[in-house]
């Protein structure tokens, strides 16, 4: 669609889902660290989500994917759901 920020948010969700498909489970802090260190995530944030901290983007992304049934949070762990 014509909403670049929304499209960027969807892209972040897809990247996180693929990371969890690969890892199956990650500590929430580890996921946030991966997001902060992944060059593509940094570029997306800088271009489409300026002013937001990566930890905030990570938390919002996890909440959205949990709400969609794609992930679960079990204590400190983010767990893939197929």
């Amino acid at each position: 669609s014509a909403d670049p920020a929304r499209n960027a948010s969807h892209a972040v969700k897809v990247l996180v889902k693929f990371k969890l498909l690969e890892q199956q489970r990650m500590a929430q802090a580890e996921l946030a660290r991966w997001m902060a260190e992944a060059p593509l995530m940094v570029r997306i944030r800088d271009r489409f989500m300026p002013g937001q901290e990566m930890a905030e983007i990570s938390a919002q992304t996890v909440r959205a994917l949990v709400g969609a049934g794609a992930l679960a949070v079990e204590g400190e762990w983010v767990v893939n759901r197929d």
Side-chain angles (χ1 to χ4, degrees):
S1 317
D3 185 348
R6 191 170 123 231
N7 291 341
S9 176
H10 286 304
V12 168
K13 289 178 207 164
V14 169
L15 292 168
V16 168
K17 176 61 179 177
F18 273 100
K19 184 66 173 177
L20 268 295
L21 280 168
E22 175 186 53
Q23 298 291 316
Q24 289 302 304
R25 64 188 292 131
M26 294 177 76
Q28 291 186 53
E30 181 184 359
L31 178 61
R33 187 169 37 257
W34 170 77
M35 289 177 72
E37 294 173 357
L40 181 56
M41 291 288 198
V42 173
R43 286 195 303 271
I44 291 170
R45 182 202 56 205
D46 291 349
R47 182 164 180 192
F48 298 104
M49 304 167 183
Q52 287 192 24
E53 295 295 324
M54 194 62 82
E56 176 187 351
I57 296 167
S58 177
Q60 290 171 348
T61 301
V62 168
R63 279 193 304 272
L65 290 170
V66 167
L71 303 178
V73 174
E74 298 173 358
E76 71 176 90
W77 296 97
V78 180
V79 180
N80 182 54
R81 291 286 178 249
D82 292 325

